[in-house]
Amino acid sequence: TYTTAQPLLTGTIRLLQSSRNEAVNPKLVADQLLALAKVQKIVGEGDKIYLKNLYDTEWQIAEHLNRINNGDELKSFNDEAIEKQMRVVERNLGIDYDDSQETAILTAMKSRVFILTGGPGTGKTTIINGLVNLYARLHEYSLDINQYKDKPFPILLAAPTGRAAKRMSETTGMPASTIHRLLGLNGHEGNDANAAKDLEGALLIVDEMSMVDVFLFRTLLRAIPDTMQVVLVGDKDQLPSVGPGQVFHDLLASQRVKAMELDTIYRQGEASSIIPLAHDIKMGRLPADFDKNQPDRSFISCSAAQMPSVIEQIIGKAKQKGFSAENVQVLAPMYRGPAGITRLNTIIQEIMNPQTETHRK
């Protein structure tokens, strides 16, 4: 009876017993899991147990993706027309796409749903630009938003955060919004997929997909009509979303959606040492010059006890040079201790936002 729940049962018992001296009866834990299943709080499938709402959400994601993937047949273009317009796009953008980039653009053009992934500096934004412009030229769409006063703009650009949407808009020169705003949501609807408005348009491109959780993705897919093409862009090696699920990673792992991974670094010409370093660390390598200072990065070796003083000096110098609190970010792996978030927050606040005499009184 309890075989399906065995992995969860074992983990639960181990967790409970780690904080108490008496043994936990496995049958009592298993009985509670069965009781939760009877009232539809959890669902068992194979050797996995799901929360019911997450189980249903994942199924709805799969069903909507299948619906969009099997939508109306896409308008086809002959190779000569595509090649001609591709060269025009390159001239207009001042870009010479290599074979892999051109393949990504053309595959996206011919796919109902397409996934593009790659690390920093691999040209994802460059491909988005090319895709938008080629799509518009082939379908004879104007990219001037002022011409669409009474009808929807045909190409929708969205990202999960305001910052990512703003960056998307700046790099494409087109309007982009958060996914919530695109769907007409204000963030207070909870996980109600029915609260979103249906989307109108021909092509949807979503950037920074690794940040999107299962609930937001389900809501987005539900709003997408069968006639819309969808391109999902992101870095599969970034941290998964704050909310439940690892949507982007799982979509790639499923191999049920057309996908392409970019692995060539194109931004090295800008003398960035950070992008190659990010790729080295992702591959489990530390370059020989890791602790050598570079024009765009510095390495300071210090103990946890020395960290408060080091952070104080760095933040102090940054403020002297005109950096605001919005331009500075400090990451720490824990809250406690001399190098923890709690201590560092106090130090940073005293520099960036010191108490005035009025506040002290």
Side-chain angles (χ1 to χ4, degrees), residues 54 86 92 96 104 115 147 152 179 191 212-213 222 334-335:
L54 289 174
M86 191 73 197
N92 290 345
D96 184 15
I115 298 175
Q147 295 188 22
I179 297 173
N191 299 323
V212 178
D213 64 27
R222 188 183 181 281
M334 63 190 72
Y335 277 88

Side-chain angles (χ1 to χ4, degrees), residues 279-286:
H279 286 268
D280 280 336
I281 291 175
K282 186 181 79 172
M283 299 301 292
R285 301 189 299 257
L286 267 188

Side-chain angles (χ1 to χ4, degrees), residues 43-113:
V43 177
E45 185 175 282
D47 63 349
K48 295 180 174 64
I49 292 179
Y50 302 78
L51 291 174
K52 179 68 164 58
N53 65 334
L54 289 174
Y55 180 82
D56 290 343
T57 300
E58 288 198 6
W59 265 107
Q60 290 163 19
I61 285 173
E63 288 167 350
H64 281 298
L65 274 173
N66 192 50
R67 169 182 63 81
I68 297 166
N69 244 337
N70 294 324
D72 297 344
E73 188 174 339
L74 296 174
K75 184 178 179 180
S76 60
F77 302 93
N78 64 56
D79 293 343
E80 185 179 346
I82 294 174
E83 178 72 19
K84 179 181 177 181
Q85 296 302 333
M86 191 73 197
R87 302 291 78 84
V88 174
V89 168
E90 284 184 323
R91 286 199 302 273
N92 290 345
L93 297 178
I95 296 170
D96 184 15
Y97 288 108
D98 66 19
D99 290 343
S100 64
Q101 292 175 313
E102 190 165 323
T103 298
I105 293 171
L106 298 183
T107 306
M109 279 284 304
K110 298 174 182 178
S111 305
R112 297 218 56 84
V113 182

Side-chain angles (χ1 to χ4, degrees), residues 159-210:
T161 67
R163 178 178 292 183
K166 182 181 179 183
R167 188 170 64 248
M168 201 178 187
S169 181
E170 289 171 348
T171 54
T172 61
M174 289 176 51
S177 69
T178 64
I179 297 173
H180 279 86
R181 186 176 177 187
L182 183 72
L183 296 172
L185 303 174
N186 58 25
H188 300 296
E189 295 84 1
N191 299 323
D192 181 10
N194 298 316
K197 68 177 184 181
D198 292 337
L199 298 180
E200 295 180 274
L203 172 66
L204 168 65
I205 302 177
V206 182
D207 199 5
E208 300 289 359
M209 259 300 297
S210 61

Side-chain angles (χ1 to χ4, degrees), residues 186-252:
N186 58 25
H188 300 296
E189 295 84 1
N191 299 323
D192 181 10
N194 298 316
K197 68 177 184 181
D198 292 337
L199 298 180
E200 295 180 274
L203 172 66
L204 168 65
I205 302 177
V206 182
D207 199 5
E208 300 289 359
M209 259 300 297
S210 61
M211 297 185 192
V212 178
D213 64 27
V214 290
F215 294 125
L216 181 57
F217 193 52
R218 184 269 311 271
T219 303
L220 175 64
L221 289 180
R222 188 183 181 281
I224 295 173
D226 297 349
T227 53
M228 185 175 284
Q229 285 180 254
V230 181
V231 177
L232 307 173
V233 184
D235 182 350
K236 68 180 179 62
D237 295 310
Q238 282 188 350
L239 290 172
S241 58
V242 175
Q246 46 181 14
V247 173
F248 195 57
H249 176 276
D250 289 346
L251 284 174
L252 285 163

Side-chain angles (χ1 to χ4, degrees), residues 317-356:
K317 288 181 180 177
K319 186 177 182 182
Q320 289 174 9
K321 291 181 178 179
F323 286 84
S324 67
E326 289 73 27
N327 304 130
V328 178
Q329 189 174 46
V330 178
L331 305 179
M334 63 190 72
Y335 277 88
R336 298 178 180 176
I341 291 171
T342 304
R343 176 78 180 103
L344 296 181
N345 267 343
T346 302
I347 292 170
I348 297 166
Q349 182 178 354
E350 288 172 354
I351 298 170
M352 287 295 192
N353 186 27
Q355 281 190 333
T356 64

Side-chain angles (χ1 to χ4, degrees), residues 14-46:
R14 188 188 310 118
L15 183 63
L16 288 172
Q17 292 192 160
S18 67
S19 59
R20 57 197 293 167
N21 295 323
E22 57 186 284
V24 176
N25 186 343
K27 186 176 185 307
L28 292 177
V29 178
D31 286 344
Q32 290 303 310
L33 289 173
L34 285 175
L36 288 170
K38 285 180 180 177
V39 296
Q40 291 285 292
K41 294 288 186 182
I42 61 175
V43 177
E45 185 175 282

